[in-house]
Amino acid sequence: MRTAVVVGGGMAGLATAGALSRSGWRVTVLERAERVAAPPTAVVLWPTGLRALQSLDPDGGWTAIASPLPDGGVRRPDGQWLVAPRARSGAGPSPAAAHLEDVYDALVAGLGDVEIRTGFEATTIRTGLRTRPTVSDGRTTIEADLLVGADGIDSRVRAAVAPEAVAVGSGFAAWQAVIPGFRVPRLDGGRCVGGETLGAGYRFVAIPLGDHAAGRGGVYWVATAAGAARPEAPATQLALLRRWFAGWHEPVGALLDATRPEDLVPQGVRELRPLPRAYGFPAGPGGVVLVGDAAHAMPHHLGQGACLAFEDVATLRSLVADVEPGPALTAAVESYSRLRRPRTTTVVRQNRRMSAVVQARGRLALRARDAALNHMRPRMLARSLDPPADWTAPE
């Protein structure tokens, strides 16, 4: 039987394992944590990401866990519109938001006959033109026809096959939180309105989740600030956020006031520079492929990271579903790289342009940002919101 080892039990790893298992592969997932668990945050699923998930698992119930997300527009801290909300044109699907607990539950439910080994930290990856790829934690060595690196921005698999791609700081820190429905402040006629607000080096995004997200509904918010990750305890960081965003239009202050320290998920934001030279590396009768953040980690300005990961998996599944180890599988590994790298390179380039906009500081820079934003953001979003889409699930 064809065998695959997936290193990493996050969204990309679980999606890969389920897709390969349903295609007749014997799959083992290696997760370094003691259990597979969803971070207590949420994710934006653009139409491309939803299409990828639906192609991977048509019975996954994705529309039931993802709440349609209207365009909330972009404002200044004083509430003045930089980009007014716009109605989505066309009849295609809307972007949606989903709690990660629900996404993980759906991915785990679709795994099928997959072996998951937790507490397994991959320390050694070996590949060769004539030998099957292997992964070891120093005690146990596992080999397979196909090795999938889904182990995030600090990927050990990527370090072995594409050491030129290095994780570097993006120049800002981020904080995320989900406020459960019973603690969400009621504003604007009883509702808590979402949307995006840009200040001088600061950004705040609020996204309403469905009433039943993770069984409790709520609002997901993300805040960013220029600089490195903060070392303080969550309670101190939350106090800093309340001070930095004081005076911003509602619901920014109300959402921060409703947030508890245990809700807060701080992170230093990093990205890969440069991107790996390839995403697929033939080895023995098969090879090694990179998916998700292991392949193209980037800041979340465009909210495309998870969607690109699901696109990766859908493309990989379509290429390897029916092939056997040998020349056909090594060719599929090479094809995966040729298909995915141009797409991700384009999104990373767009993301870096948006990064310059988000991090603008100083009077002249802010004036230039405000002028550029009206032109750039709707054009970028149009490619995701309106048909025809720029990515479709491969047949």
Side-chain angles (χ1 to χ4, degrees), residues 184-354:
V184 171
R186 302 299 169 185
L187 305 166
D188 189 33
R191 296 182 300 114
C192 183
V193 180
E196 177 179 353
T197 306
L198 291 177
Y202 296 89
R203 183 191 195 199
F204 194 95
V205 180
I207 298 174
L209 301 175
D211 292 338
H212 304 292
R216 54 186 177 273
V219 170
Y220 168 54
W221 64 257
V222 182
T224 61
R230 304 290 304 197
E232 297 90 350
T236 303
Q237 294 192 45
L238 184 56
L240 285 171
L241 289 171
R242 289 169 178 162
R243 188 177 74 196
W244 291 340
F245 291 94
W248 285 39
H249 68 83
E250 295 296 0
V252 177
L255 289 173
L256 289 172
D257 287 342
T259 303
R260 296 174 179 172
E262 60 268 25
D263 300 327
L264 201 63
V265 181
Q267 64 178 138
V269 181
R270 296 179 296 156
E271 59 189 291
L272 293 182
R273 284 184 181 260
L275 291 176
R277 67 187 185 279
Y279 293 155
F281 305 85
V288 180
V289 297
L290 303 174
V291 300
D293 281 352
H296 42 68
M298 68 188 81
H300 40 64
H301 299 311
L302 297 179
Q304 287 282 354
C307 297
L308 284 177
F310 296 138
E311 290 178 25
D312 292 343
V313 179
T315 302
L316 178 64
R317 189 279 314 270
S318 72
L319 292 169
V320 306
D322 299 320
V323 302
E324 295 295 329
L329 182 54
T330 56
V333 167
E334 293 178 319
S335 295
Y336 170 77
S337 188
R338 286 196 301 269
L339 288 172
R340 290 307 298 159
R341 205 172 183 285
R343 162 71 172 160
T344 58
T345 299
T346 297
V347 175
V348 167
R349 187 181 301 118
Q350 292 175 345
N351 197 74
R352 287 174 181 168
R353 291 174 59 202
M354 185 60 78

Side-chain angles (χ1 to χ4, degrees), residues 302 350-351 353-354 376-384:
L302 297 179
Q350 292 175 345
N351 197 74
R353 291 174 59 202
M354 185 60 78
M376 182 168 64
R377 184 177 180 273
R379 186 179 63 188
M380 285 184 174
L381 289 180
R383 283 195 284 268
S384 292

Side-chain angles (χ1 to χ4, degrees), residues 89-135:
S89 61
S94 300
H99 198 291
L100 284 184
E101 287 183 14
D102 294 330
V103 175
Y104 270 63
D105 286 347
L107 291 172
V108 170
L111 283 178
D113 187 18
V114 171
E115 179 186 5
I116 299 179
R117 298 191 186 186
T118 57
F120 190 111
E121 182 170 2
T123 56
T124 305
I125 312 295
R126 289 194 172 89
T127 64
L129 292 178
R130 292 181 173 82
T131 59
R132 301 167 88 201
T134 65
V135 57

